[in-house]
């Protein structure tokens, strides 16, 4: 089952191999990712890519679709329901890869009102037992995302939930859909609760029903006792009991009568650790409701016979209770100092202290002592450094810790990542962090990760736009550190406008590391129209096939935010297909559709060029189709002059199309145009064009 639960905090441990520096750089998820501007050409480019013969291209199209606000398509396209219909057809197409169909289900859920005419089709689809359950599960879940459009079908969704002949995972998805539909699902909350209680149902599906109840809020409150009973029932599978704990944690005030039961479960050593951790998480999520039980939570933290992971969640719960946790801050500190506890859990307790703010300030000296004590595990010291930063005690201690060569570089790398958590506190130290990144005496891996943290400071770096530009121009800095820090340019957005020429110069400078140049391209992309004069420079960067293709692809994506590429420019993207390996060429095919806006010219080029799926190549052409195709090929000929592999294929496809059509006398001009082009460039296909022309002239 695919429960999309957001992980709130990554593990304190972060294994990092220097040899993977570039690989990690190419897929950095932590650069500011705002919803892209939405224009008709972008949506059309994605829509047309859905008709490509390769499932991988369709998958990329859906991924891009889901970056946009699909509920507002009417403002950019005339018939958003046509898009919904095409997406539905892919969802129902059994020849399409299941993962692509799952993406189609997600896209339908994001389409809102445009998908309304097809909700019944989706409901019928869910009942089709020949379809992969995982696809139907996601389709069911995403019905809930349709909001108002799905409300007339809430009974049908409930019927799927109740139908015991349907796969349990699909029924679980229906429960999740109802969980997202709020008040309108009220008549069916009992059905969800019954599904949750049904011990004949697979545990993973039942846990989905528990999460659905938790999402329903007010309308699920009459069933809070049933949920609590499931949490307490030791005969129930641990995953279902954990789901019940999650639901209770989300039901706020209604859970109040059962908070003591939750604390008792946490203390019960016979209960599965995952259930106890889930119960502890529920306490944490209950916030104010849990305040009367703050002493019980503290007792859990202090009880050394309880699993340390559960105790840590109790510490987190205290961290969320602010002033009410004041009497127990010392207990958290003692937990932090206890060397018998796993260091990774203790370092987490340090973060909790940092979150407590004012109530933890009397213990700043104790935390500083832990930071400075070299006998303490380095990961715990790392947590202490970040805690001090969050308590307003400055970033200097953390930077000094990062420079300490006696500490393992991986531990220091973990601490370096946490620079991003400091945000406002780190603002006065942005310049110091830049200086730290230049310090060649510090391990390059640590500086690399510190650069990642620096990028994640986001808005805080804006006043330092010029310093960042100057830093990137300093060629004495380690290239790997440069590569990551360069992504700070991407987050600068408006603040970078005065430096648009500097960024363009970095992009054009072939002595600069390609990854830094890519970041300059991305930064230019974020500036939109201001960067239009530099589109040619980005395209020139893409032409350099000696640069890693993923780096070039990242730079190409920047064009999305600047302008639609006309045929003269889109051929540069198309040419990259010929240099890509099997796993990459679909990316470039998609990008050709997308950046070209899915025009008829782009569709025609991709029908014949860039290794199209052979099943999609027309076996025959009408005269009109042939004429149109050769005219588009003629338009592409001159722009392809410096694109050797594209031009070679273009020459071949000119000959292929020329053979497929019954030409007429008025076609002599276009045929002779191609004959002259092929002859001048020295391609052997000129002989075939000559024979077609001779036959036509008689």
């Amino acid at each position: 089952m695919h429960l999309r639960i957001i992980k709130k905090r990554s593990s304190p441990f972060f294994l990092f191999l220097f040899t993977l520096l570039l690989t990690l750089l190419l897929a950095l998820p932590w650069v500011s990712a705002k919803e892209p501007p939405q224009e008709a050409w972008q949506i059309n480019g994605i829509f047309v890519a859905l008709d490509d013969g390769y499932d991988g291209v369709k998958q990329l199209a859906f991924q891009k679709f889901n970056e946009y606000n699909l509920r507002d398509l009417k403002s950019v396209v005339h018939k958003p329901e046509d898009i919904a219909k095409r997406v539905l057809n892919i969802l129902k197409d059994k020849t399409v890869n299941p993962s692509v169909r799952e993406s189609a289900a997600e896209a339908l859920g994001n389409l809102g009102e445009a998908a309304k005419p097809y909700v019944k089709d989706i409901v019928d689809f869910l009942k089709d037992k020949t379809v992969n359950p995982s696809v139907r599960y996601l389709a069911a879940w995403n019905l809930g995302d349709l909001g108002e459009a799905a409300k007339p079908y809430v009974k049908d969704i409930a019927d799927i939930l109740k139908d015991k002949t349907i796969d349990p995972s699909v029924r679980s998805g229906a429960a999740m859909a109802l969980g997202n539909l709020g008040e309108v699902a009220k008549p069916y909350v009992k059905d969800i609760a019954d599904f949750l209680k049904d011990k004949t149902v697979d545990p993973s599906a039942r846990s989905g029903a528990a999460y659905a109840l938790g999402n329903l809020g007010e309308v699920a409150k009459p069933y809070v006792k049933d949920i609590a009973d499931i949490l307490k029932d030791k005969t129930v599978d641990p995953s279902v009991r954990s789901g019940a704990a999650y639901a209770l944690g989300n039901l706020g005030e209604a859970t109040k009568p059962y908070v003591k039961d939750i604390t008792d479960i946490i203390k019960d050593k016979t209960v599965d650790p995952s259930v106890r951790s889930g119960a502890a998480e529920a306490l944490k999520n209950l916030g104010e409701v849990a305040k009367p039980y703050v002493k019980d939570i503290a007792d859990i933290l202090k009880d050394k016979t309880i699993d340390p992971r559960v105790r840590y969640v109790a510490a987190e719960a205290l961290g969320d209770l602010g002033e009410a946790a004041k009497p127990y801050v010392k207990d958290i500190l003692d937990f932090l100092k206890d060397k018998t506890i796993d260091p990774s859990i203790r370092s987490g307790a340090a973060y909790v202290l940092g979150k407590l703010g004012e109530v933890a300030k009397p213990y700043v000296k104790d935390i500083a002592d832990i930071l400075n004590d070299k006998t303490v595990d380095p990961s715990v010291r790392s947590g202490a450094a970040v805690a001090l930063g969050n308590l307003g005690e400055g970033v200097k201690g953390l930077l000094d810790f990062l420079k300490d060569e006696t500490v393992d570089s991986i531990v220091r790398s973990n601490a370096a990542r946490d620079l991003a958590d400091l945000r406002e506190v780190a603002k006065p130290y942005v310049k110091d962090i830049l200086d730290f990144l230049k310090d060649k005496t510090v391990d390059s891996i640590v500086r690399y990760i510190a650069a990642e943290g620096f990028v994640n400071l986001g808005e805080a770096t804006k006043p330092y736009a010029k310093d960042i530009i100057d830093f990137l121009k300093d060629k004495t800095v380690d290239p790997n550190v440069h590569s990551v820090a360069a992504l700070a340019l991407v987050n600068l957005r408006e603040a970078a406008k005065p430096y648009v020429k500097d960024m363009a110069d970095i992009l054009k400078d072939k002595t600069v590391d390609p990854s830094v140049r890519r970041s300059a391209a991305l930064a230019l992309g974020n500036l939109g129209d201001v960067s239009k004069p530099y589109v040619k420079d980005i395209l020139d960067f893409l032409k350099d096939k000696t640069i890693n293709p993923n780096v070039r692809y990242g730079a190409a994506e920047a064009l999305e935010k600047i302008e639609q590429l006309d045929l003269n420019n889109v051929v540069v993207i198309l040419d990259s297909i010929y240099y890509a390996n099997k796993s990459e060429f679909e990316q470039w095919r998609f990008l050709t559709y997308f950046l070209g806006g899915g025009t008829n010219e782009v569709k025609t080029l991709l029908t014949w060029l860039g290794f199209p799926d052979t099943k999609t190549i027309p076996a025959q052409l009408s005269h009109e189709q042939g004429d149109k195709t050769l005219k588009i090929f003629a338009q592409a000929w001159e722009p392809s002059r410096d694109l050797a592999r594209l031009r070679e294929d273009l020459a071949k496809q000119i000959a292929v199309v020329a053979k497929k059509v019954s030409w007429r006398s008025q076609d002599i001009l276009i045929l002779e145009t191609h004959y002259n082009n092929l002859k001048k460039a020295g391609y052997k296909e000129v002989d075939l064009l000559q024979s077609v022309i001779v036959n036509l002239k008689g």
Side-chain angles (χ1 to χ4, degrees), residues 112-177:
E113 196 65 24
K116 190 173 183 177
Y118 309 107
V119 174
K120 186 180 183 305
D121 296 287
I122 301 170
V123 171
D124 291 342
F125 172 78
L126 300 182
K127 298 173 185 175
D128 185 349
K129 295 171 186 176
T130 66
V131 177
N132 185 309
S134 69
V135 177
R136 290 157 64 206
Y137 162 77
L138 280 174
W141 186 335
N142 282 288
L143 270 176
D145 291 337
L146 285 172
E148 290 295 320
K151 285 186 176 179
Y153 298 92
V154 68
K155 182 183 180 301
D156 300 273
I157 300 169
D159 286 344
I160 289 167
L161 168 66
K162 291 184 277 185
D163 187 346
K164 293 188 177 184
T165 68
I166 292 176
D167 186 280
S169 68
V170 180
R171 294 172 67 197
S172 174
M176 297 298 286

Side-chain angles (χ1 to χ4, degrees), residues 237-398:
D237 186 273
S239 67
V240 181
R241 296 176 73 192
S242 294
Y246 167 84
L248 291 172
N250 272 14
L251 291 174
E253 194 68 27
T255 303
K256 197 169 186 177
Y258 305 99
V259 174
K260 186 179 184 306
D261 295 304
I262 296 172
T263 57
D264 288 345
I265 283 169
I266 297 169
K267 295 174 186 176
D268 186 347
K269 294 161 195 174
T270 67
V271 174
D272 185 279
S274 67
V275 178
R276 293 163 73 195
S277 292
E281 284 283 350
L283 272 183
K284 181 164 77 78
N285 292 338
L286 283 168
E288 290 293 314
V289 175
K291 275 190 175 178
Y293 297 89
V294 66
K295 182 182 181 302
D296 298 273
I297 299 170
D299 287 344
I300 291 165
L301 171 65
K302 291 185 276 184
D303 186 346
K304 294 187 178 184
T305 66
I306 291 176
D307 187 294
R309 290 168 296 180
V310 179
R311 294 172 67 197
Y312 167 62
V313 178
E316 281 194 308
L318 290 172
D320 288 341
L321 290 174
E323 190 68 26
K326 190 172 183 177
Y328 308 102
V329 175
K330 186 178 181 302
D331 297 305
I332 301 175
L333 187 66
D334 290 342
F335 180 84
L336 172 62
K337 292 177 180 177
D338 186 347
K339 295 181 181 179
T340 66
I341 296 171
D342 185 283
S344 66
I345 298 174
R346 290 164 63 205
S347 68
Y351 291 107
V352 171
L353 283 172
K355 282 173 63 181
L356 279 167
E358 289 297 317
V359 299
K361 283 201 169 179
Y363 299 94
V364 161
K365 183 182 180 303
D366 298 273
I367 301 170
D369 288 344
I370 290 169
L371 171 62
N372 296 322
D373 184 351
K374 294 191 176 184
T375 68
V376 172
D377 185 278
S379 65
V380 179
R381 293 175 64 203
S382 167
V386 176
L388 287 172
N390 279 331
L391 290 172
E393 296 303 309
V395 180
K396 188 177 181 304
L398 177 56

Side-chain angles (χ1 to χ4, degrees), residues 444-489:
S444 58
I445 298 176
V446 177
R447 286 187 288 137
Y448 179 96
I449 302 298
E452 175 187 327
F454 175 75
V455 171
N456 277 338
L457 289 173
E459 294 286 321
T461 64
K462 285 188 174 180
Y464 301 92
K466 186 178 185 307
D467 296 290
I468 295 170
I469 292 287
D470 290 343
F471 174 77
L472 296 177
K473 289 179 179 178
D474 183 349
K475 294 178 183 177
T476 66
V477 176
D478 183 284
N480 293 306
V481 177
H482 246 165
S483 300
V484 184
L487 290 165
L489 281 176

Side-chain angles (χ1 to χ4, degrees), residues 506-517:
I506 290 170
L507 171 65
K508 290 185 276 186
D509 188 346
K510 292 187 177 183
T511 67
V512 172
D513 185 272
S515 297
V516 178
R517 295 169 67 195

Side-chain angles (χ1 to χ4, degrees), residues 44 48 51 593 598-608:
N44 193 58
V48 170
D51 287 326
Y593 284 116
T599 61
N600 286 330
E601 289 81 6
V602 169
K603 283 162 60 178
T604 299
L605 290 176
L606 285 164
T607 297
W608 300 97

Side-chain angles (χ1 to χ4, degrees), residues 573-629:
I573 311 298
L574 177 56
D575 179 62
S576 292
I577 298 172
Y578 296 94
Y579 297 84
N581 61 35
K582 190 175 181 181
S583 64
E584 295 167 348
F585 86 96
E586 290 172 328
Q587 293 180 328
W588 290 102
R589 276 189 70 84
F590 166 70
L591 212 54
T592 305
Y593 284 116
F594 179 51
L595 295 177
T599 61
N600 286 330
E601 289 81 6
V602 169
K603 283 162 60 178
T604 299
L605 290 176
L606 285 164
T607 297
W608 300 97
L609 302 166
F611 309 124
D613 184 347
T614 53
K615 296 191 297 291
T616 65
I617 299 172
Q620 292 180 321
L621 288 175
S622 67
H623 176 267
E624 182 183 357
Q625 290 171 326
D627 179 59
K628 183 189 82 169
T629 301

Side-chain angles (χ1 to χ4, degrees), residues 485-660:
L487 290 165
L489 281 176
V490 183
N491 286 339
L492 290 174
R493 299 184 184 275
E494 291 295 311
K497 277 189 175 179
Y499 306 100
V500 65
K501 184 180 180 303
D502 298 274
M503 289 186 284
D505 288 343
I506 290 170
L507 171 65
K508 290 185 276 186
D509 188 346
K510 292 187 177 183
T511 67
V512 172
D513 185 272
S515 297
V516 178
R517 295 169 67 195
R518 167 189 180 265
S519 295
L522 289 170
L524 288 170
N526 273 351
L527 293 176
D529 287 350
V530 175
S531 298
K532 281 187 177 181
Y534 304 102
V535 167
K536 182 183 180 300
D537 297 305
I538 297 175
L539 292 171
D540 287 343
F541 178 79
L542 298 179
K543 288 178 184 178
D544 185 351
K545 304 303 192 296
T546 64
I547 295 172
N548 182 291
N550 288 318
V551 174
R552 288 190 295 110
Y553 187 81
E557 287 187 302
L559 293 165
E560 165 191 0
K561 298 174 185 176
I562 303 176
E563 66 178 11
Q564 177 184 358
L565 298 184
D566 60 21
L567 187 139
N568 288 344
N569 288 332
V570 82
V571 292
V572 176
I573 311 298
L574 177 56
D575 179 62
S576 292
I577 298 172
Y578 296 94
Y579 297 84
N581 61 35
K582 190 175 181 181
S583 64
E584 295 167 348
F585 86 96
E586 290 172 328
Q587 293 180 328
W588 290 102
R589 276 189 70 84
F590 166 70
L591 212 54
T592 305
Y593 284 116
F594 179 51
L595 295 177
T599 61
N600 286 330
E601 289 81 6
V602 169
K603 283 162 60 178
T604 299
L605 290 176
L606 285 164
T607 297
W608 300 97
L609 302 166
F611 309 124
D613 184 347
T614 53
K615 296 191 297 291
T616 65
I617 299 172
Q620 292 180 321
L621 288 175
S622 67
H623 176 267
E624 182 183 357
Q625 290 171 326
D627 179 59
K628 183 189 82 169
T629 301
L630 283 194
K631 284 176 178 173
I632 291 170
F633 283 175
Q635 292 175 51
W637 184 261
E638 184 55 29
S640 70
R641 182 179 64 250
D642 298 324
L643 308 170
R645 295 186 186 181
L646 170 60
R647 180 167 270 205
E648 182 181 345
D649 194 15
L650 183 54
K652 290 177 183 176
Q653 300 312 317
I654 289 168
V656 169
V657 171
K659 284 192 295 184
K660 287 180 180 283

